[in-house]
Amino acid sequence: MAAAGGESSSQSVSDELFQNFYTEVKQIEKRDSVLTSKQQIDRLLRPGSSYFNLNPFEVLQLDPEATDEEVKKRFRALSILVHPDKNQDDPERSQKAFEVVDKSYKLLLDPEQKKRAVDVIQAGKEYVEHMVKQKKKQLKKDGKSQDVEEDDPELFRQAVYKQTMKLFAELEIKRKEREAKEMHERKRAREEEIEAAEKAKREREWQKNFEDSRDGRVDSWRTFQTKGKTKEKKNRSFLKPPKVKMEQRE
């Protein structure tokens, strides 16, 4: 009974942390959603943005549970803020920021891509919860206080955020490696295809040249044979036996 009660209490604490985490996230999103155009552009293009922006919910500052209507509404508001037409004094950076927003918007409108992003975020949360549980278990085994820094909702949120970003980054690295491998294989297959085509072309040209020159070689041989016979006959016609000189008797 004590064990069951402890498990129930632990689950209750986990649910409370989870709820506090999303409450704070929503408060941050509400605060950041009123950023100026320049601030939004800076946020989207900040150092490390190539990895931060892999999370489409992070880009659009949305809760993972956001509906398609909420995604569309947020996209309209954010895209207007960072659109190049609204930021003509910084067209290059605003164009890049707009492309990031547009890409995230399209990802979240794709049910499969959206589910994948939600799964990554959930995996990040579950990993942190597991690590917290392991820490507490070890502390209990050592006879120490089971208080850990992740008990602080803000630190728990940060841990989940970091782990989620790490997972997105790992998936992106694997995707790039897979893409590079596929590109290499396509390149090699193309090179082999070109080499085979060139070899076949060389063989066809050799065959054609051989056939084109065959008649010439036969004619040359016949001419040679004919000239040889004519010369031989001519030589025989000029070969006369020497005259026998008769000896005179005295």
Side-chain angles (χ1 to χ4, degrees):
M1 289 295 291
E7 184 68 27
S8 176
S9 175
S10 176
Q11 181 64 38
S12 177
V13 171
S14 176
D15 291 342
E16 183 179 353
L17 286 173
F18 182 70
Q19 184 59 43
N20 289 336
F21 163 64
Y22 275 113
T23 298
E24 292 197 19
V25 167
K26 290 177 181 179
Q27 291 173 347
I28 292 171
E29 289 169 352
K30 184 176 180 180
R31 180 196 68 199
D32 289 350
S33 65
V34 296
L35 294 177
T36 64
S37 294
K38 183 180 183 307
Q39 289 171 327
Q40 285 289 7
I41 292 173
D42 289 342
R43 178 182 72 86
L44 294 168
L45 301 181
R46 67 193 184 280
S49 60
S50 59
Y51 287 106
F52 290 125
N53 295 340
L54 292 173
N55 182 350
F57 292 105
E58 167 73 14
V59 171
L60 297 181
Q61 300 170 308
L62 286 172
D63 189 315
E65 298 174 353
T67 64
D68 287 349
E69 188 57 38
E70 289 172 329
V71 171
K72 292 176 182 177
K73 183 178 179 181
R74 182 57 186 155
F75 168 71
R76 285 194 293 268
L78 191 54
S79 62
I80 289 173
L81 279 176
V82 301
H83 199 282
D85 290 347
K86 185 177 176 63
N87 300 276
Q88 296 184 12
D89 58 329
D90 195 3
E92 185 175 342
R93 294 179 75 246
S94 60
Q95 179 63 37
K96 289 181 180 179
F98 178 80
E99 289 172 358
V100 170
V101 172
D102 185 62
K103 180 180 180 180
S104 295
Y105 170 64
K106 290 175 179 176
L107 282 176
L108 292 184
L109 285 188
D110 182 328
E112 185 177 340
Q113 295 287 350
K114 182 179 181 181
K115 182 180 182 304
R116 189 174 300 169
V118 171
D119 288 345
V120 172
I121 295 172
Q122 182 63 22
K125 171 185 168 293
E126 290 176 356
Y127 176 84
V128 173
E129 287 178 339
H130 173 72
M131 293 306 297
V132 169
K133 187 176 180 180
Q134 291 298 108
K135 282 184 180 181
K136 289 180 177 290
K137 184 177 180 180
Q138 185 61 46
L139 289 170
K140 183 179 180 180
K141 183 178 179 180
D142 296 340
K144 299 178 181 179
S145 170
Q146 296 181 46
D147 293 335
V148 296
E149 60 180 9
E150 288 84 3
D151 288 339
D152 182 331
E154 175 60 21
L155 295 179
F156 179 81
R157 183 193 71 81
Q158 290 179 11
V160 172
Y161 178 83
K162 289 178 182 178
Q163 182 60 28
T164 298
M165 187 177 70
K166 182 181 178 181
L167 291 176
F168 272 109
E170 289 175 351
L171 288 173
E172 179 65 7
I173 291 171
K174 289 180 180 179
R175 185 193 67 79
K176 288 183 177 180
E177 289 176 347
R178 185 170 61 253
E179 189 177 79
K181 182 180 178 181
E182 290 174 353
M183 184 179 295
H184 175 72
E185 290 176 350
R186 288 197 299 270
K187 181 180 178 182
R188 185 177 61 182
R190 180 57 180 161
E191 289 174 347
E192 291 176 353
E193 182 182 339
I194 292 173
E195 177 60 26
E198 290 179 347
K199 182 179 179 181
K201 182 181 178 182
R202 288 194 298 268
E203 290 177 351
R204 287 196 302 270
E205 289 177 348
W206 184 90
Q207 187 65 26
K208 183 176 183 302
N209 292 334
F210 177 81
E211 292 175 355
D212 289 346
S213 62
R214 181 172 54 192
D215 292 340
R217 291 195 304 275
V218 171
D219 289 343
S220 296
W221 175 250
R222 287 173 178 169
T223 301
F224 173 77
Q225 289 286 78
T226 302
K227 286 183 176 180
K229 291 179 180 179
T230 302
K231 184 176 181 181
E232 183 181 348
K233 184 177 180 180
K234 184 177 180 181
N235 288 339
R236 283 201 302 269
S237 63
F238 283 99
L239 289 176
K240 296 180 179 181
K243 293 181 177 180
V244 178
K245 186 177 181 181
M246 302 294 292
E247 292 184 357
Q248 294 180 354
R249 293 182 179 179
E250 294 182 357

